[in-house]
Amino acid sequence: GAGVSQSPRYKVAKRGQDVALRCDPISGHVSLFWYQQALGQGPEFLTYFQNEAQLDKSGLPSDRFFAERPEGSVSTLKIQRTQQEDSAVYLCASTSSIRGANTEAFFGQGTRLTVV
Amino acid sequence: SQQGEEDPQALSIQEGENATMNCSYKTSINNLQWYRQNSGRGLVHLILIRSNEREKHSGRLRVTLDTSKKSSSLLITASRAADTASYFCATDARDTDKLIFGTGTRLQVFP
């Protein structure tokens, strides 16, 4: 595709509901990142994939957060039993470098999650 | 946690003026990048400077890097109203593959 695509753009979830956020990276991009961005803050690192391997998940805030990229392309970030503090914009980025952050990262428009 | 901190947090200038934003980071890096984010949109890459470079230019953008002080600056010359956005520095720490962002500078350029 032309760029990184994220869906849905907006998601309203009731507290306790499970949600799944999808990221379609640029075709052929090896590295994929997920970030969480609270209002007025910078993006906070959540997790990083190199192809299908999840090399770093140190930023996931709790075991309610789970990410996968089973075929090394599309990735899904799942949040179980959502809580109000999960409300944020979730950004996905991909790069062509096998050493993820060594080159320009291309970002999707993000998914704005609101937990009510 | 975030690697970098931008200074100032917010900056308001008139069109035609120059805007300077600073970024400080904590650990040794391979490279430092600057990104722009318009309200409600994704981040757009502006420029990348490697740890062995001291200065880089791209159009109206000038970036400097001082690894001894663990700091970088982004200068936007002859600013335009369309430059209004948040600007973030991001670093690629040497011991990881993560791209870590700073806290951002909100730039407002008045016509």
Side-chain angles (χ1 to χ4, degrees):
Chain A
V4 178
S5 177
Q6 290 187 246
S7 61
R9 286 292 314 277
Y10 304 92
K11 176 70 179 178
V12 178
K14 290 185 178 179
R15 192 169 49 186
Q17 185 180 353
D18 297 349
V19 298
L21 312 180
R22 177 187 170 103
C23 172
D24 278 272
I26 292 173
S27 178
H29 273 196
V30 171
S31 297
L32 185 145
F33 298 84
W34 282 99
Y35 292 88
Q36 180 190 60
Q37 186 175 26
L39 189 64
Q41 301 295 315
E44 291 268 6
F45 171 82
L46 293 177
T47 187
Y48 160 60
F49 289 87
Q50 187 184 96
N51 294 308
E52 69 278 4
Q54 189 176 20
L55 298 188
D56 191 326
K57 55 182 181 179
S58 62
L60 296 177
S62 76
D63 59 7
R64 296 185 297 103
F65 286 71
F66 172 76
E68 60 182 3
R69 194 186 185 198
E71 297 178 357
S73 55
V74 171
S75 177
T76 303
L77 176 67
K78 298 178 180 178
I79 309 173
Q80 297 177 322
R81 305 181 303 280
T82 52
Q83 300 177 6
Q84 283 192 315
E85 63 259 31
D86 300 335
S87 296
V89 175
Y90 290 85
L91 295 166
C92 174
S94 69
T95 82
S96 59
S97 173
I98 197 163
R99 250 211 101 234
N102 199 34
T103 187
E104 172 184 358
F106 294 84
F107 279 81
Q109 298 285 1
T111 294
R112 181 178 297 277
L113 173 65
T114 303
V115 182
V116 297
Chain B
S1 62
Q2 292 176 294
Q3 157 82 303
E5 290 186 0
E6 277 90 336
D7 167 53
Q9 289 188 338
L11 179 62
S12 295
I13 59 174
Q14 296 287 331
E15 257 190 338
E17 294 180 340
N18 296 341
T20 299
M21 288 159 267
N22 303 295
C23 165
S24 60
Y25 57 90
K26 299 173 185 173
T27 63
S28 296
I29 61 171
N30 292 308
N31 65 66
L32 185 143
Q33 305 182 43
W34 284 91
Y35 287 79
R36 183 185 73 211
Q37 185 177 37
N38 289 85
S39 180
R41 308 289 293 274
L43 285 86
V44 174
H45 179 264
L46 295 176
I47 196 165
L48 180 153
I49 186 165
R50 303 210 180 272
S51 60
N52 61 353
E53 298 176 308
R54 291 297 167 257
E55 187 170 312
K56 203 161 184 180
H57 297 254
S58 176
R60 294 184 295 112
L61 306 180
R62 173 177 166 252
V63 169
T64 62
L65 179 64
D66 187 335
T67 53
S68 67
K69 295 181 180 178
K70 292 187 170 59
S71 67
S72 173
S73 67
L74 170 67
L75 169 67
I76 304 174
T77 60
S79 63
R80 305 167 182 168
D83 295 329
T84 294
S86 291
Y87 292 81
F88 297 92
C89 68
T91 53
D92 167 20
R94 281 207 179 149
D95 58 345
T96 77
D97 284 336
K98 294 188 282 195
L99 188 61
I100 304 296
F101 285 82
T103 51
T105 292
R106 292 185 303 280
L107 173 66
Q108 175 82 52
V109 181
F110 292 99

